[in-house]
Amino acid sequence: MPNAATPSSLPTEVAELLQRLGVPRDACTGGTLPVRSPVTGERIAAVAETSTAQAGEAIGRARAAYLRWRNVPAPRRGELVRLLGEELRLHKADLGRLVTLEAGKVPSEGAGEVQEMIDICDFAVGLSRQLYGLTIATERAEHRMMETWHPLGVVGVISAFNFPVAVWSWNAALALVCGDSVVWKPSEKTPLTALATHAIAQRAIVRFGSDAPAGLLELLIGQRDVGEVLVDDHRVPVLSATGSTAMGRQVAPRLAARFARAILELGGNNAAIVAPSADLGLALRGIAFAAMGTAGQRCTTLRRLFVHDSVYDALVPKLAKVYGNVRVGDPREAGTLVGPLIDRAAFDSMQKALGECRELGATVHGGQRVDGIGTPDAYYVRPALVELRSHAGPALRETFAPILYVVRYATFDEAIEWHNAVGAGLSSSIFTLDVREAERFMSSAGSDCGIANVNIGPSGAEIGGAFGGEKETGGGREAGSDAWKAYMRRATNTINYSTALPLAQGVTFDIGD
């Protein structure tokens, strides 16, 4: 392993990946935004940043592109997304590797994120021929009433470090087939994967031809001030923002003030219930991935676990053993399941939460830093399993780290009440073989989350279903189902093909001949 005194080949590998992916060398060297890999803690690039003035100009180009793109037939727009999917397939290995090096994901998760991009492209291509409206029964003779859907305009996308490329694709693939242009501001912690994705998309545009106007896809690299340009610009009628609930509390009022649409994907203090009838072997495997995958840095990560008294002593000691034995290390090494935290701030936040748990008298398994990997600026931790005496303290809020809070429950009513007793409402699950419990959990009297699963964990969603949550998660939906409607505007049309002019509801307004 490299250390502070040993040169590493990682910066060289990153540079070679970027070159193969088509990113100009001057975009990643000599810039003002330093990029560090969480894998080793090393500086791997220095990226050129977008100024606020340049951000405004990019939005202007995107607005002009939209005015042309909206007139391109939707199936033709789908052809561009098909080509994007082809390019992603060609570069899946390199882009997935770059996700690993910049975000710290294990290789299967890095490759899986690119596969998710490919999947949403496939979905969107089919959608390009299914932007259906309705024919509506009308009370007026010889009239026809229908609803139609039209492109909305420039779609702003602000994404987070933990899914540095997939979130853009969820929005961009749908927005493109809907007839919109896209301006993307990625996390300042993961700009390299964004630059690579943008280069891949530009190759698809070149292959597509002149129907795709300049400015159709724009990229803004920078800090918060650049993102604020997207939030406040009236030329951006819809903004998809992924991040913390605190971020959403600031973004949402500013969008509302200018009557822009918000697609907010915010916090997720996700829970699972292990019922008396649960298949404990299945539950053990589902809990392990949901709680420890991506080092606990998914918005759908399992953070709270309610285990029935009757199975607690059979399950939790086995879970503690898994936590003690799971391999934590450099994600590039075979067998590693838990990679690094993104940075020191994430580590400090985790340690603060664990300190609060100890003050509450909780039993804490793991949670300590794992030394000897990379430089001192690489933050690896053993995932923490925390047995709480009650559903209280840090369990009531999201800590973006691999901490799983475990609480005993006695009645199903109690478990549901605790499950719903937090601000966020993203994802949830129950492990049970009791059909009544499963059905109640998915009913209006059960989980209050946007995603409710049975006999799988809350982490890991397919693009066919709309992704998002309720309450402090923001209420937004991305990817499948009818999420495309967020990127379009609806028009209700009435056509009179008679010689009369009847008014609705029997109203008369006779002005004579």
Side-chain angles (χ1 to χ4, degrees):
M1 287 300 147
N3 55 47
T6 304
S8 167
S9 61
L10 191 140
T12 299
E13 182 182 0
V14 168
E16 291 172 350
L17 283 171
L18 291 170
Q19 183 178 24
R20 289 202 298 271
L21 289 164
V23 179
R25 178 175 173 79
D26 59 3
C28 304
T29 57
T32 55
L33 179 62
V35 183
R36 293 186 179 277
S37 170
V39 175
T40 64
E42 296 168 271
R43 179 167 164 163
I44 54 175
V47 177
E49 295 183 75
T50 308
S51 69
T52 56
Q54 290 170 329
E57 293 168 359
I59 293 170
R61 291 192 296 271
R63 170 67 183 175
Y66 153 70
L67 295 176
R68 286 185 53 197
W69 186 241
R70 65 183 177 178
N71 293 320
V72 175
R76 173 68 176 147
R77 299 193 299 248
E79 172 64 8
L80 172 56
V81 178
R82 188 189 70 80
L83 293 172
L84 173 59
E86 279 192 359
E87 290 292 332
L88 288 167
R89 284 180 171 88
L90 289 171
H91 298 285
K92 177 180 175 179
D94 281 347
L95 185 57
R97 180 68 171 181
L98 190 60
V99 170
T100 290
L101 300 182
E102 188 176 38
K105 292 186 175 186
V106 298
S108 68
E109 290 194 51
E113 182 165 350
V114 182
Q115 184 60 49
E116 192 166 356
M117 301 173 77
I118 295 167
D119 292 345
I120 193 65
C121 286
D122 288 348
F123 178 91
V125 172
L127 178 65
S128 69
R129 294 181 182 269
Q130 299 178 77
L131 300 175
Y132 298 140
L134 297 173
T135 298
I136 305 164
T138 172
E139 64 190 68
R140 288 168 283 187
E142 297 183 274
H143 283 59
R144 179 161 62 90
M145 186 162 57
M146 62 184 182
E147 74 173 25
T148 52
W149 292 86
H150 303 291
L152 193 59
V154 179
V155 174
V157 179
I158 297 176
S159 60
F161 77 85
N162 59 329
F163 277 85
V165 289
V167 169
W168 170 81
S169 69
W170 296 350
N171 289 278
L174 297 192
L176 286 171
V177 299
C178 288
D180 303 318
S181 56
V182 181
V183 181
W184 179 22
K185 193 276 180 191
S187 169
E188 63 274 13
K189 297 178 183 181
T190 51
L192 300 181
T193 44
L195 287 165
T197 299
H198 187 68
I200 289 170
Q202 293 305 312
R203 281 197 289 279
I205 287 174
V206 170
R207 290 177 61 190
F208 181 76
S210 59
D211 280 349
L216 187 58
L217 296 174
E218 291 284 343
L219 178 64
L220 314 178
I221 300 293
Q223 306 284 345
R224 173 175 172 166
D225 58 339
V226 175
E228 288 178 335
V229 174
L230 271 179
V231 172
D232 294 331
D233 197 302
H234 70 277
R235 296 170 296 178
V236 182
V238 57
L239 179 77
S240 172
T242 301
S244 67
T245 296
M247 180 269 282
R249 291 189 196 283
Q250 296 181 50
V251 168
R254 291 163 71 164
L255 294 174
R258 62 181 184 86
F259 300 101
R261 293 188 193 176
I263 303 174
L264 298 178
E265 301 288 356
L266 308 176
N269 194 358
N270 313 294
I273 297 171
V274 181
S277 67
D279 178 332
L280 296 185
L282 180 71
L284 186 68
R285 297 193 302 274
I287 291 164
F289 168 71
M292 293 187 284
T294 324
Q297 298 172 119
R298 288 185 176 219
C299 51
T300 54
T301 290
L302 176 60
R303 308 201 182 282
R304 298 175 297 137
L305 184 66
F306 303 111
V307 183
H308 192 268
D309 277 329
S310 64
V311 294
Y312 190 98
D313 292 334
L315 176 67
V316 175
K318 291 181 180 179
L319 190 57
K321 184 176 180 180
V322 170
Y323 267 66
N325 293 333
V326 69
R327 181 166 177 177
V328 180
D330 188 318
R332 298 171 294 178
E333 293 189 351
T336 296
L337 293 180
V338 179
L341 296 176
I342 190 66
D343 55 22
R344 178 172 181 170
F347 174 77
D348 290 344
S349 177
M350 179 179 181
Q351 298 309 308
K352 180 181 178 182
L354 293 178
E356 292 179 43
C357 291
R358 295 185 181 97
E359 291 177 1
L360 292 172
T363 301
V364 178
H365 306 272
Q368 69 273 24
R369 186 172 182 181
V370 178
D371 295 319
I373 307 174
T375 73
D377 291 322
Y379 290 87
Y380 290 81
V381 293
R382 181 149 293 282
L385 182 70
V386 179
E387 296 183 71
L388 286 173
R389 297 175 180 176
S390 63
H391 186 230
L396 300 180
R397 67 176 189 268
E398 180 186 42
T399 300
F400 217 61
I403 304 175
L404 179 61
Y405 304 105
V406 187
V407 184
R408 293 177 183 264
Y409 79 90
T411 69
F412 196 53
D413 285 344
E414 184 178 55
I416 292 291
E417 179 183 356
W418 292 346
H419 178 283
N420 294 344
V422 295
L426 178 52
S427 192
S428 59
S429 69
I430 184 171
F431 291 90
T432 182
L433 300 181
D434 185 327
V435 67
R436 291 176 175 172
E437 287 182 332
E439 290 293 338
R440 182 181 167 193
F441 183 75
M442 292 186 293
S443 77
S444 58
S447 167
D448 63 359
C449 295
I451 300 170
N453 298 330
V454 177
N455 292 328
I456 63 171
S459 187
E462 297 181 40
I463 57 87
F467 181 87
E470 301 301 322
K471 303 190 298 186
E472 291 181 3
T473 301
R477 293 295 187 276
E478 293 170 326
S481 184
D482 65 348
W484 60 271
K485 293 180 179 178
Y487 306 91
M488 303 194 82
R489 60 180 179 86
R490 185 195 325 238
T492 300
N493 313 123
T494 302
I495 302 165
N496 178 5
Y497 56 93
S498 75
T499 58
L501 192 65
L503 303 179
Q505 295 86 46
V507 173
T508 59
F509 194 84
D510 188 0
I511 61 171
D513 295 331

